[in-house]
Amino acid sequence: MSEASKVSFPRRTAAKARTRQRIEEAARRLFVTLGYGDATMAAIAEAADIHITTLFTHFASKRELAAAIAVRAGERFEEIVAMQRAQGVPVLAFWRNQVARIAHAYERDGDGQINLGRALAGEPELLPVWYGHQRLQIDLMTDYIADELGIDATKDGRAQMAAAMLVAGGRMAFDSWMESGGAGDLVAENERLLDAAEALLAGGLPLIRRDAS
C-alpha cells in the first residue's frame, strides 16, 4: 500500500463519520421542529447540506436514522455518567441535575418535543431501541449507586431496584407532560416524583455511604 493510500483511508473514514454526525444532528433538529412524521429524508438532506443520495448511503430509512439518534443519546449519557462519577458527584445530585436539564429542554422546545415523543412511541420498529436506551440508563445508574454505597450489584439487587425507580420516576413525568400536550410545570413535576422516589428508597436503601458519619 502506498503512503498516499495509508493517509487517505483514515481521512475518508473521518470525513464519513463527520457527515454521519451532521446528518444525525440535522435530523434531530427537524424531528423536534417539524415532528417525526413531517421530517422527510429530503428535508433532512437539505438541512445537513448534502445530496439525498449521500444521505441514503449512510441511512437506509428514517427509522434507521432515528434509531441511530437513540444510540448516540445513550453514548452521551454514558460519557456524562463516567465524568460525574470521576468527579465524585453524588448519584442523587447527578440524577436530579440530569432530569432537570432535560425537562428544561423539553419545555423550551415545546410542541416539537411532544410531537417527537408521540411519534417515536408510535413506531413499533423503534420500541426495542428506546427500551434499550432505558435499559442502559438503569444499568449505568445501578453501577453508580452500587459504587457509591460500596455494595456488589451482582449479589445485592437493591441498587438495581433503586436505579429502576429513579429512571421510572423521571419517565412518568415526561409521559404525563406529553399526554397533556405540554400543560403544567414539567420541571416541578419531575422534582415531585423524584422526591417521592427518594422517600420510598430512604426506608430500604438510604443513598449514603456505609462508612459516612
Side-chain angles (χ1 to χ4, degrees):
M1 182 182 293
S2 67
E3 290 300 318
S5 296
K6 290 179 182 178
V7 173
S8 64
F9 282 126
R11 285 179 178 171
R12 266 183 276 175
T13 301
K16 185 177 179 180
R18 287 194 297 271
T19 300
R20 187 179 178 90
Q21 182 177 356
R22 195 163 73 247
I23 292 169
E24 290 178 12
E25 290 172 351
R28 179 71 176 78
R29 290 194 304 272
L30 290 185
F31 288 167
V32 170
T33 57
L34 301 180
Y36 179 79
D38 291 334
T40 64
M41 292 292 270
I44 293 168
E46 183 177 354
D49 195 25
I50 59 171
H51 194 278
I52 193 166
T53 303
T54 303
L55 172 58
F56 279 109
T57 63
H58 288 272
F59 299 99
S61 67
K62 188 166 62 172
R63 288 175 179 169
E64 183 179 315
L65 178 49
I69 292 172
V71 171
R72 183 79 65 180
E75 292 171 349
R76 285 198 299 269
F77 181 71
E78 190 167 6
E79 291 170 359
I80 292 170
V81 167
M83 181 178 65
Q84 295 290 288
R85 288 180 64 175
Q87 293 175 354
V89 177
V91 63
L92 289 181
F94 157 72
W95 187 245
R96 277 188 179 275
N97 290 337
Q98 178 75 4
V99 170
R101 181 182 63 80
I102 296 172
H104 281 297
Y106 266 57
E107 288 191 329
R108 182 184 64 244
D109 293 332
D111 290 342
Q113 287 287 4
I114 295 171
N115 292 337
L116 175 60
R118 286 175 174 167
L120 295 179
E123 290 290 332
E125 292 186 15
L126 291 180
L127 287 179
V129 176
W130 294 101
Y131 284 139
H133 179 65
Q134 183 170 296
R135 180 72 259 174
L136 174 65
Q137 286 185 315
I138 293 173
D139 289 344
L140 291 171
M141 290 293 288
T142 296
D143 290 342
Y144 202 151
I145 291 169
D147 181 60
E148 187 168 306
L149 298 178
I151 61 178
D152 184 347
T154 63
K155 298 177 181 178
D156 190 332
R158 293 176 301 163
Q160 186 179 50
M161 182 174 64
M165 190 175 293
L166 291 171
V167 172
R171 187 70 263 164
M172 285 171 61
F174 288 112
D175 289 346
S176 176
W177 183 76
M178 284 192 293
E179 289 172 5
S180 71
D185 187 332
L186 179 59
V187 176
E189 181 62 10
N190 268 288
E191 288 289 340
R192 186 185 70 80
L193 286 171
L194 283 173
D195 286 343
E198 290 178 21
L200 288 172
L201 293 170
L205 184 62
L207 294 184
I208 56 173
R209 292 188 64 87
R210 287 176 174 173
D211 57 355
S213 56

